[in-house]
Amino acid sequence: MQQKIVAIVDDDAAVLSALSSLVRSIGFDALTFSSAEAFLAHPDLSSVTVLISDIQMPGGISGFELQEGLRLRHLSIPTVLMTGLSDEAIRERALESGAWKFMQKPVDSDALIECLETA
């Protein structure tokens, strides 16, 4: 059985640390990236089982643009987009962009675990 790999993209080091610890606690491998650009430069994107990404990251590619980059590469990775903004329009845009799930920050650990186990 192939190991499940969860990639986490967020510009906040504390979020990366917390989410990678959570992911590892349920037996998945975690790869962390501080930007969407760094994630897209990863040499083996096809090995990623699930992607968790912040929507808003300063000075670079947003979570929405990351979704488009995956689509252009013909990669279908179940993606959880998350944000600290409480806005129905952002949630709708996230789901319309191809996100598998949308979550509000701070992320509910139990809900995220359920998403990962479903994926």
Side-chain angles (χ1 to χ4, degrees), residues 11-116:
D11 61 308
D12 185 329
V15 171
L16 288 177
S17 177
L19 290 179
S20 65
S21 293
L22 178 66
V23 165
R24 289 183 179 108
S25 76
I26 60 171
F28 296 174
D29 285 340
L31 299 174
T32 59
F33 302 90
S34 60
S35 70
E37 294 89 346
F39 171 71
L40 290 171
H42 187 271
D44 189 15
L45 292 175
S46 63
S47 69
V48 175
T49 308
V50 179
L51 169 64
I52 302 170
S53 178
D54 192 6
I55 291 175
Q56 293 187 297
M57 292 175 277
I61 297 174
S62 72
F64 299 128
E65 294 164 330
L66 175 55
Q67 284 290 108
E68 180 62 21
L70 292 174
R71 192 172 17 263
L72 291 173
R73 288 169 173 79
H74 304 287
L75 291 169
S76 179
I77 302 171
T79 302
V80 177
L81 287 180
M82 58 186 182
T83 185
L85 301 176
S86 178
D87 184 338
E88 183 61 23
I90 290 175
R91 186 190 74 74
E92 287 177 15
R93 184 173 175 203
L95 296 174
E96 288 171 359
S97 76
W100 179 58
K101 298 285 183 183
F102 172 82
M103 295 192 147
Q104 193 76 34
K105 282 183 174 180
V107 173
D108 178 280
S109 298
D110 292 333
L112 182 58
I113 288 170
E114 183 178 325
C115 283
L116 296 175

